[in-house]
Amino acid sequence: MSKVMRRTPARKAGMKTVGNGRKAWEFVRIAIATLLAAGFAILFLMPIILTISNSFMSSSEISANYGSVFAVNENGGKVYIAEKVNLKFIPDMVSFSQYITVLLKSPDYLLKFWNSVILVGPIVIFQLTVAALAAYGFARYSGKIRSIIFFSYVILMLMPYQVTLVPNFLVAQWLDTVDTYWSIWLPGIFSPFAVYLLTKFMKRIPTSVIEAAQIDGAGEWQIFRRICLPLCKGALCSAAILVFIDYWNMVEQPLILLSDSSTHPLSVFLSKINAAEVGLAFAVATIYMVPSLLVFLYGEEYLVDGITYQGGIKG
């Protein structure tokens, strides 16, 4: 008994040493992971920071720093870059001339910006409306016809937009909607992505909740409006953010379906800014990023909640 008692402090000391070693290794592991995450964050944020900071530079300063990148020869071709590019995060002198030109002197940029809003706003609103109604039907009812239709939605969602661009153009010609906003709105409103996302979300709502509502005398519309929609708030916000960012950056659809350049969104117009307007390109790009950043920052909590919480009742 005495031997056991004498060994106990040594054993405790050994266990304490092992515990300290594990804590030290855990601290090192967390520190390495944090440094790696910080490094990747800096790499991802660097283009955004450069765009914003360079938008406050004068044209002469931009040419001095990046002139070799945007230089062209006499035939209009690009010049081989022999000099090092000077990446500057802080301008020598802050200049608002680019923003004054974009916001006050040249109405083309604001016109294209509002074209983007006009094109994307109805798509987000009505796609979520159609998707919520369709997802409720897919989640509440089952059968072969339902399975075939939902499988078709999944196949269409897996196809890139470039594959369905020609059929969309032919349908738009048949409906006589080419060169109108309807040629962009209709395919966007009935896009299958939000339907798939909300269906998977609604199917995980416990049937006991819906059965309790039916016992209380609730109809299908009341179940949809008072139970499904509140429980799917995170999924709706997630779908809204993803749909907005997707269509806010669209390029192919307006180029093919809208021949009039005055109806093109700012995403198309940005690619047409020539080398003589590089400073304006930075300013326009900064303005163009603001709505996407605001939508993401405002809905970040809902986006994470919609991805991690897959329907049902929270405990």
Side-chain angles (χ1 to χ4, degrees):
M1 185 69 180
S2 59
K3 292 182 179 180
V4 175
M5 293 299 293
R6 284 196 297 269
R7 290 176 183 175
T8 301
R11 187 176 300 175
K12 288 183 178 180
M15 293 176 62
K16 186 176 181 181
T17 303
V18 173
N20 291 335
R22 289 179 179 177
K23 289 181 179 180
W25 169 247
E26 186 70 17
F27 176 78
V28 172
R29 189 176 65 84
I30 294 175
I32 293 174
T34 303
L35 291 175
L36 288 174
F40 282 113
I42 292 172
L43 288 177
F44 287 128
L45 291 175
M46 187 177 294
I48 299 176
I49 296 173
L50 278 173
T51 302
I52 297 174
S53 62
N54 292 337
S55 67
F56 292 100
M57 293 182 183
S58 61
S59 300
S60 59
E61 186 176 355
I62 292 174
S63 299
N65 294 328
Y66 309 104
S68 56
V69 176
F70 301 107
V72 294
N73 56 27
E74 296 178 355
N75 298 324
K78 293 295 181 180
V79 178
Y80 175 75
I81 300 175
E83 300 178 1
K84 292 183 179 179
V85 177
N86 183 24
L87 295 178
K88 294 186 64 175
F89 292 92
I90 300 176
D92 294 334
M93 185 176 65
V94 177
S95 174
F96 295 94
S97 59
Q98 318 290 358
Y99 289 97
I100 293 174
T101 302
V102 171
L103 298 175
L104 300 177
K105 294 183 179 180
S106 180
D108 289 339
Y109 300 101
L110 287 180
L111 175 63
K112 304 301 181 183
F113 179 86
W114 287 112
N115 284 344
S116 299
V117 175
I118 293 171
L119 284 172
V120 177
I123 290 177
V124 175
I125 295 173
F126 291 104
Q127 183 180 142
L128 291 182
T129 302
V130 172
L133 294 170
Y136 179 76
F138 284 132
R140 288 280 289 125
Y141 303 102
S142 59
K144 291 185 178 180
I145 297 178
R146 177 261 181 203
S147 300
I148 293 173
I149 296 175
F150 186 73
F151 181 74
S152 302
Y153 264 84
V154 175
I155 294 299
L156 289 174
M157 186 188 68
L158 295 177
M159 290 183 180
Y161 188 81
Q162 291 79 3
V163 175
T164 58
L165 188 58
V166 174
N168 283 337
F169 180 79
L170 295 176
V171 172
Q173 275 189 328
W174 180 67
L175 295 175
D176 196 23
T177 59
V178 178
D179 294 333
T180 65
Y181 288 146
W182 287 104
S183 61
I184 306 294
W185 285 339
L186 290 177
I189 290 172
F190 297 99
S191 176
F193 169 73
V195 177
Y196 175 80
L197 180 65
L198 293 177
T199 299
K200 291 300 182 181
F201 208 92
M202 288 186 181
K203 286 183 69 175
R204 299 198 179 190
I205 297 177
T207 55
S208 58
V209 178
I210 297 177
E211 290 174 355
Q214 289 175 333
I215 292 175
D216 291 337
E220 294 293 340
W221 174 251
Q222 291 176 318
I223 294 174
F224 170 74
R225 185 169 59 90
R226 297 186 178 181
I227 296 178
C228 290
L229 288 184
L231 290 177
C232 293
K233 183 179 179 181
L236 287 169
C237 293
S238 300
I241 294 171
L242 296 175
V243 170
F244 176 84
I245 294 175
D246 184 22
Y247 284 93
W248 186 255
N249 298 315
M250 62 180 171
V251 176
E252 296 93 346
Q253 300 95 312
L255 284 176
I256 300 299
L257 298 171
L258 300 176
S259 60
D260 188 1
S261 60
S262 63
T263 60
H264 285 173
L266 193 57
S267 55
V268 175
F269 195 65
L270 276 173
S271 62
K272 298 181 180 180
I273 298 179
N274 56 41
E277 299 176 310
V278 177
L280 292 178
F282 282 123
V284 174
T286 301
I287 295 173
Y288 191 69
M289 286 191 298
V290 170
S292 299
L293 291 176
L294 291 178
V295 168
F296 175 77
L297 293 175
Y298 177 77
E300 180 183 5
E301 180 180 354
Y302 296 108
L303 181 62
V304 175
D305 181 68
I307 294 175
T308 57
Y309 170 57
Q310 297 295 322
I313 304 298
K314 291 184 178 180

